């Protein structure tokens, strides 16, 4: 790892435009050695991003295709990968879900607000919109890809830092500080307006079209879509309401579907809680029964080969 970083630093190795090399490097953040993880983090944050500030943004959408080993897209994840590499670096499947998501969060947290904004747009257009248009097929191979996409879109890591609430701010003491705060507030209003416009014009129409497509094939991804739609409703309630106001029937359908979804989630939670209580009850019963079986004077089964007690 140290040798690779030295070669990168001296430009003997090139990482710009080499997505597969970048993904291999990022994947060392999963290494069991804390020293390796620290070395990778330091190199990316203190060296690589200073030289190529947009590298995380440029490769983020492709990272979802690559780490899920989705190879059916016309342009994404077209690397030449040997069978040995596939075996060594495979992160696809349900069992590796959290490992992938750690890497997504790292990439998002090392972007600026403009890059996060563009990433939101590209995830919706290229992946969710790709499903609507047929560029991404609805198949078992794409389920993890789409679940990861919904996860990234709903995560705190993709939220713009400039729009996150900063509670407990001190009052401005000088005119210069006051002017700075006014400028910051105005900037926040402008950015918020741009983000809301993007939600209205680009994201919600794709989500609605995708909802119809997933429901038509009874896809298990419908629940993931509703989780993200619920998140959008929380963050952009007025904007979503404005869009749905133009189509009363659609508004009623979505309201009904969200209510049903929330009810199903509550039923699942209740069932899980009942199962947990039942397990605890069985466990406590077994602990009570064990001492009784071995207590002095308690009836025991006859040893093998010993005569049975007479009547």
């Amino acid at each position: 790892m140290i040798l690779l970083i030295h070669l990168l630093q001296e430009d003997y190795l090139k990482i710009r435009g080499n997505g597969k090399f970048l993904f291999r490097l990022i994947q060392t953040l999963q290494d069991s050695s804390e020293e390796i993880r620290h070395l990778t983090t330091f190199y990316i944050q203190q060296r690589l991003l200073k030289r190529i500030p947009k590298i995380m943004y440029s490769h983020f959408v492709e990272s979802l295709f690559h780490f899920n080993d989705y190879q059916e897209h016309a342009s994404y994840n077209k690397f030449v990968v040997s069978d040995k590499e596939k075996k060594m670096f495979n992160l696809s499947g349900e069992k590796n879900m959290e490992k992938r998501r750690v890497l997504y969060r790292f990439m998002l947290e090392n972007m600026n607000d403009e890059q996060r904004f563009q990433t939101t747009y590209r995830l919706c257009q290229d992946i969710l919109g790709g499903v609507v248009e047929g560029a991404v097929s609805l198949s078992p191979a794409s389920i993890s890809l789409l679940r990861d996409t919904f996860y990234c879109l709903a995560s705190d890591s993709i939220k713009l830092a400039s729009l996150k609430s900063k509670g407990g701010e001190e009052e401005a003491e000088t005119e210069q500080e006051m002017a700075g705060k006014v400028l910051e507030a105005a900037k926040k209003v402008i950015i918020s307006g741009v983000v809301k416009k993007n939600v209205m014009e680009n994201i919600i129409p794709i989500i609605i079209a995708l909802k119809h497509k997933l429901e038509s094939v009874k896809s298990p991804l419908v629940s993931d879509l509703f989780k993200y739609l619920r998140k959008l409703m929380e963050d952009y309630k007025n904007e979503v309401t404005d869009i749905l106001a133009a189509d009363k029937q659609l508004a009623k359908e979505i309201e009904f579907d969200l209510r049903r979804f929330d009810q199903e989630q509550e039923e699942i939670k209740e069932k899980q809680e009942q199962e947990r209580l039942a397990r605890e009850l069985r466990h406590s019963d077994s602990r009570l029964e064990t001492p009784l079986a071995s207590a002095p004077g308690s009836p025991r089964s006859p040893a093998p080969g010993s005569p049975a007690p007479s009547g």
Side-chain angles (χ1 to χ4, degrees), residues 223-240:
S223 63
D224 297 86
L225 181 141
F226 276 121
K227 284 177 187 174
Y228 178 51
L229 185 57
R230 167 64 67 206
K231 185 77 173 173
L232 281 175
M233 294 286 280
E234 290 172 4
D235 293 343
Y236 306 102
K237 185 177 180 181
N238 294 335
E239 287 68 34
V240 177

Side-chain angles (χ1 to χ4, degrees), residues 113 117 160 162-163 181-199 236 239:
D113 274 0
F117 176 80
L160 307 194
S162 55
L163 295 183
K181 287 187 177 293
V182 170
L183 187 64
E184 190 68 28
K187 182 180 174 184
K188 190 171 181 177
V189 169
I190 293 169
I191 292 171
S192 179
V194 172
V195 171
K196 288 175 180 178
K197 186 179 179 184
N198 181 51
V199 169
Y236 306 102
E239 287 68 34

Side-chain angles (χ1 to χ4, degrees), residues 34-161:
E34 186 179 350
E35 188 179 0
I36 293 291
R37 297 195 303 271
H38 176 75
L39 183 61
T40 301
T41 303
F42 177 83
Y43 169 69
I44 290 174
Q45 292 178 338
Q46 303 301 322
R47 297 290 183 267
L48 181 60
L49 285 168
K50 290 187 181 347
R51 297 178 69 182
I52 316 174
K54 292 185 177 181
I55 193 163
M56 295 295 157
Y57 159 69
S58 301
H59 294 279
F60 187 79
V61 175
E62 185 150 48
S63 75
L64 275 76
F65 287 92
H66 180 73
F67 291 136
N68 280 289
D69 195 28
Y70 184 85
Q71 299 173 354
E72 297 173 24
H73 197 274
S75 53
Y76 284 118
N77 195 29
K78 294 301 175 185
F79 309 118
V80 177
V81 181
S82 67
D83 291 338
K84 183 180 179 182
E85 280 181 292
K86 278 188 178 181
K87 187 176 180 181
M88 287 178 68
F89 298 106
N90 178 40
L91 277 184
S92 63
E94 185 75 20
K95 65 182 185 298
N96 292 312
M97 180 182 70
E98 185 51 36
K99 288 183 178 180
R100 294 194 303 273
R101 292 180 178 184
V102 167
L103 303 186
Y104 301 146
R105 291 196 295 269
F106 177 84
M107 293 179 78
L108 288 169
E109 286 160 8
N110 284 283
M111 294 183 198
N112 61 29
D113 274 0
E114 182 186 352
Q115 291 164 5
R116 290 192 194 110
F117 176 80
Q118 292 294 339
T119 297
T120 300
Y121 175 78
R122 288 183 61 198
L123 285 172
C124 286
Q125 288 288 332
D126 294 3
I127 301 183
L128 302 186
V131 174
V132 175
E133 295 167 4
V136 176
S137 62
L138 272 176
S139 64
S142 65
I143 286 179
S144 291
L145 168 68
L146 291 165
R147 284 200 166 127
D148 283 0
T149 304
F150 284 122
Y151 169 81
C152 291
L153 286 168
S155 73
D156 285 338
S157 301
I158 207 170
K159 285 186 176 179
L160 307 194

Side-chain angles (χ1 to χ4, degrees), residues 268-280:
I268 290 169
K269 283 182 184 177
E270 190 176 328
K271 185 179 178 183
Q272 289 173 341
E273 181 64 17
Q274 288 173 352
E275 289 173 352
R276 184 185 67 80
L277 290 171
R279 282 197 303 270
E280 288 181 359

